[in-house]
Amino acid sequence: MERSASPQLSDFSLQERDVQHALGRAKTRDIDYADIYFESNISESVSMEEGIVKRAVKHVGQGAGVRATAGEKTGFAYSDDLSQEDLAIAADTARYIAQSPQGEEPIAVTHCLAPTQDLYPLKQPISEIATKERVALLYLIDRVARGYDPRISKVMASFSTEQKAVIVANSDGQIVGDIQPLSRLQVTCIAEEGQNHQVGSYGGGGRVEFSYYFENDRAEEFAREAARQAILNLQAVDAPAGVMPVVLGGGWPGILLHEAIGHGLEADFNRRKTSAFSDMIGQRVASDVCTIVDDGTLPFRRGSLNMDDEGTPTSQTVLIEKGVLRGYITDRLNAKLLGIPLTGNGRREDFRSIVLPRMTNTFMLAGESDPDDIIRSVKKGLYAVSFGGGQVDITNGKFVFSASEAYLIEDGKVTRPVKGATLIGSGPDILKEVSMVGHDLKLDEGIGTCGKEGQSVPVGVGLPTLRIDEITVGGTNVG
């Protein structure tokens, strides 16, 4: 496997002395740590509705974010002009915000280094895919989705790509760069039967070649799945309501783990003691069949990175092991203040955004149960295989999630599809109600985007089939 090229300072029309000068302005005796995040970004999105290209956007930009930390204080400033003068202004501003008045001597940095891992070696940069090829992909999606069933009345599809070149230089003298491709294909279908209108959505992507979407007819499968879900929901009955056993399917239902558990394990919330999991390392927080990890090292995955946005190599972090809380997701600042390991989870939306501890790919490891046995173990309950939107309160882990595809389980068999089902509970409580975990771990197709403090970053989720013994289902059928 040939290693991908790494960006160089010359790509930003910079020299090492420019970086040394700016770091020297930001790092003083009262500043614990300073870094500069350089970013060059090319993004492009094409969308289609009713067989017509409705929107085609391309954005090219670059800039730098400068950070200085002193204890718990963080000063941050950014500039989209990379001249030495503007970098110095940003460095001075960050230093002042962190309450350190004077700059010092420049800080030596090593030559720009490549990351220690190469998780997305692409033969062709995703930014070089011609617009006509993107449009042809969307026409294919439109044709396949409409051909699935005559009741498919509307098809919407979009294909988005991003190519980031980033360099992180810090006051420890390190400087490392990475080129980060990303793409996503999204399909939404509307099915109509009389006055009954239902929606189905599907898609996927990752840090992959454009050819990925044509391997094994993957793009066509995305279209068929979106259409199938919309048609299925035309036949759905009202969801039951009440406390009952629920079986979650593999893959995308892992979004429930991400929202209800993962955010509560991010180190900033735990340092501020605003998480339901604060001060609980070493304590039992789940049933002994639950082991949950965050892994940013899976090749080509949407949430994977060679290095995080602080230049730290990503890793696999065991968060919960056989029900016992083992660790948190950390960036440099929170790892230092908490005195816990650095996990390579410092992430930011772009150079205008401050670093936060964020998830990469978060999933539960496979268990030992046969998925069919899990279904057979439920006399009356719900089988949820896909979710739409959801909300969670980090302070207590309480969540509400809407199922976009779910079925009744009656006498150990999956029967009728239901609509309007929501799952209501709290992350810590639900983990203790997990009694069976399947051997069929599945990761999502690569569609997830995580929001936190106004910043969005790409993430992955995953789950094996599992049984939750008791959870509140919000539905419209209370009979």
Side-chain angles (χ1 to χ4, degrees), residues 1 31 45 49 104 106 115-116 166 202 248 263 286 331 343 351:
M1 182 179 293
I31 294 294
S45 177
E49 294 181 30
E104 280 191 347
T116 55
V166 303
Y202 205 77
L248 299 182
H263 278 297
D331 61 343
T343 61
F351 68 91

Side-chain angles (χ1 to χ4, degrees), residues 61 112 157 159 307-308 363 365 373 390 411:
C112 190
F159 182 64
M307 63 180 211
D308 71 1
F363 51 93
L365 297 188
D373 289 341
D411 294 324

Side-chain angles (χ1 to χ4, degrees), residues 59-92:
H59 174 77
V60 179
Q62 69 172 18
V66 185
R67 177 176 60 161
T69 66
E72 296 187 5
K73 299 173 185 174
T74 295
F76 176 74
Y78 69 86
S79 172
D80 54 11
D81 188 325
L82 299 183
S83 67
Q84 191 174 107
E85 294 77 13
D86 283 294
L87 285 177
I89 292 171
D92 288 346

Side-chain angles (χ1 to χ4, degrees), residues 81-352:
D81 188 325
L82 299 183
S83 67
Q84 191 174 107
E85 294 77 13
D86 283 294
L87 285 177
I89 292 171
D92 288 346
T93 303
R95 191 187 69 244
Y96 272 108
I97 294 172
Q99 296 185 352
S100 184
Q102 299 295 326
E104 280 191 347
E105 295 298 318
I107 293 172
V109 294
T110 63
H111 293 290
C112 190
L113 304 173
T116 55
Q117 51 193 354
D118 192 5
L119 302 174
Y120 25 84
L122 306 192
K123 296 176 182 175
Q124 181 183 21
I126 199 72
S127 57
E128 292 183 359
I129 302 303
T131 301
K132 65 178 183 181
E133 293 184 71
R134 299 166 190 256
V135 171
L137 173 62
L138 298 185
Y139 274 124
L140 172 65
I141 292 291
D142 186 81
R143 185 174 68 252
V144 171
R146 290 181 187 279
Y148 183 83
D149 190 292
R151 290 171 290 178
I152 296 295
S153 59
K154 294 182 180 177
V155 178
M156 291 150 281
S158 63
F159 182 64
S160 303
T161 63
E162 178 183 80
Q163 182 94 355
K164 272 187 180 181
V166 303
I167 293 178
V168 180
N170 66 33
S171 56
D172 294 336
Q174 298 171 329
I175 180 168
V176 58
D178 189 25
I179 295 176
Q180 300 168 348
L182 187 68
S183 61
R184 183 173 79 164
L185 176 61
Q186 174 80 45
V187 189
T188 298
C189 295
I190 297 177
E192 294 185 19
E193 193 169 52
Q195 297 301 311
N196 189 3
H197 297 181
Q198 298 295 333
V199 177
S201 294
Y202 205 77
R207 303 184 188 279
V208 296
E209 302 274 3
F210 186 59
S211 60
Y212 169 85
Y213 296 95
F214 301 96
E215 295 168 0
N216 302 315
D217 295 330
R218 186 172 278 115
E220 296 178 46
E221 187 59 25
F222 288 176
R224 283 190 285 266
E225 269 298 301
R228 182 195 63 80
Q229 193 180 99
I231 295 296
L232 179 84
N233 286 331
L234 287 176
Q235 311 153 22
V237 298
D238 290 340
V243 177
M244 64 188 74
V246 169
V247 175
L248 299 182
W252 180 244
I255 188 65
L256 192 148
L257 269 188
H258 171 102
E259 298 289 0
I261 313 296
H263 278 297
L265 298 177
E266 290 168 342
D268 49 350
F269 296 128
N270 288 278
R271 177 172 63 81
R272 298 173 191 139
K273 302 190 185 302
T274 57
S275 166
F277 296 99
S278 299
D279 298 323
M280 293 190 70
I281 288 181
Q283 297 184 35
R284 179 164 294 282
V285 296
S287 71
D288 59 9
V289 294
C290 295
T291 295
I292 299 171
V293 304
D294 182 85
D295 192 344
T297 69
L298 304 175
F300 304 109
R301 299 295 305 179
R302 181 170 168 81
S304 296
L305 289 167
N306 289 327
M307 63 180 211
D308 71 1
D309 295 328
E310 298 178 307
T312 306
T314 54
S315 62
Q316 185 190 81
T317 303
V318 177
L319 302 172
I320 295 173
E321 182 181 30
K322 296 181 179 178
V324 177
L325 180 59
R326 293 302 185 193
Y328 299 132
I329 292 164
T330 64
D331 61 343
R332 281 179 178 267
L333 176 65
N334 289 287
K336 179 182 178 183
L337 293 173
L338 284 169
I340 59 178
L342 180 60
T343 61
N345 288 87
R347 304 189 64 188
R348 62 204 307 169
E349 180 173 305
D350 57 25
F351 68 91
R352 303 175 184 86

